[in-house]
Amino acid sequence: GGVKAVNSFGSLSLSDCTGNITAQNSYAGLELSNCSGTISAVNAYAPISISDSRGSVDVRNTGEISITDHIGPVSISNQYGSVTVSDVKGDVSIQNAYQEISVENIDGKVQLENNYSPISVSGITGAARLVNRFSSISGDDIAGPFDISSQNGEVEFALGHVVSGPCIINSSFGTVRLEVPRALNLLIAARTSNGDISSSFPIERTTSGFNKS
């Protein structure tokens, strides 16, 4: 079985659906709850909310998106609206612009890309790839490995007591702050051009022109 629902200029709500599920709306809210299967949700300039769902989810919007309590992979392409994803067992991929991405309690891999608005993450068990331009990246409790790239924005992370795999932070024109538990056995290599490196732990420094490591 399956469901296909198309609407515009009025709210659209689906619940307890299974199979191939396609929900499309514009200029009014779109809500799905307790659905399972292959889910496609599309909206324009209005919110999308998905909760208590199972299966693969693909979301396209130009507005606010909220996904919570989901089992399965999640893919989101959005702009002009905040994206909030929490309590997901599965991989999460998000592209956004001009509004915040907030991701919490993900049992899987995470790939996030944003422009001109912050990224915040917490409680990620799998590998994380985070890219942002012209805004900040912040987070805590990431198991690793992670690869973080920031341009013209601050990076601030608090590592947990267990971190696995290589962890990389690349930043240009922004401050990087990394909080590391003293009990964590970790090798950190830092390098900067036209900047400074400081640590509350003893470190060895080398300087060559404008470069420091």
Side-chain angles (χ1 to χ4, degrees):
V3 174
K4 182 175 182 179
V6 180
N7 194 33
S8 59
F9 298 101
S11 61
L12 176 61
S13 178
L14 300 177
S15 62
D16 302 302
C17 298
T18 60
N20 293 322
I21 302 165
T22 300
Q24 183 175 337
N25 202 14
S26 56
Y27 303 101
L30 171 58
E31 181 178 358
L32 294 92
S33 62
N34 197 31
C35 293
S36 62
T38 302
I39 301 170
S40 174
V42 180
N43 205 357
Y45 305 105
I48 294 176
S49 174
I50 300 175
S51 61
D52 300 310
S53 54
R54 295 171 179 264
S56 64
V57 168
D58 184 80
V59 178
R60 301 288 182 267
N61 197 15
T62 49
E64 180 181 334
I65 296 172
S66 173
I67 297 178
T68 185
D69 294 319
H70 176 74
I71 299 176
V74 173
S75 177
I76 295 173
S77 178
N78 189 52
Q79 57 182 343
Y80 306 116
S82 62
V83 177
T84 302
V85 177
S86 63
D87 301 310
V88 172
K89 294 182 178 180
D91 297 343
V92 174
S93 175
I94 301 173
Q95 288 186 320
N96 198 30
Y98 307 108
Q99 289 291 338
E100 181 180 6
I101 296 174
S102 178
V103 172
E104 183 177 13
N105 298 332
I106 308 299
D107 187 5
K109 299 178 182 178
V110 169
Q111 183 168 325
L112 311 178
E113 183 175 348
N114 205 5
N115 291 280
Y116 301 101
S117 280
I119 291 174
S120 64
V121 298
S122 178
I124 310 299
T125 66
R129 167 70 172 155
L130 313 177
V131 179
N132 204 357
R133 302 172 187 86
F134 302 100
S135 195
S136 63
I137 302 175
S138 63
D140 58 54
D141 192 19
I142 297 181
F146 61 74
D147 187 345
I148 297 170
S149 179
S150 174
Q151 178 181 331
N152 297 86
E154 182 177 279
V155 177
E156 185 168 359
F157 264 79
L159 298 182
H161 291 283
V162 178
V163 178
S164 63
C167 299
I168 301 169
I169 299 175
N170 287 310
S171 178
S172 59
F173 303 102
T175 301
V176 176
R177 294 185 177 91
L178 190 62
E179 182 179 325
V180 180
R182 287 189 176 273
L184 187 63
N185 184 12
L186 191 67
L187 175 64
I188 298 177
R191 183 175 59 227
T192 181
S193 298
N194 298 299
D196 195 15
I197 298 171
S198 62
S199 173
S200 60
F201 301 112
I203 59 173
E204 295 181 4
R205 299 169 183 260
T206 62
T207 301
S208 176
F210 294 107
N211 300 317
K212 299 176 182 178
S213 60

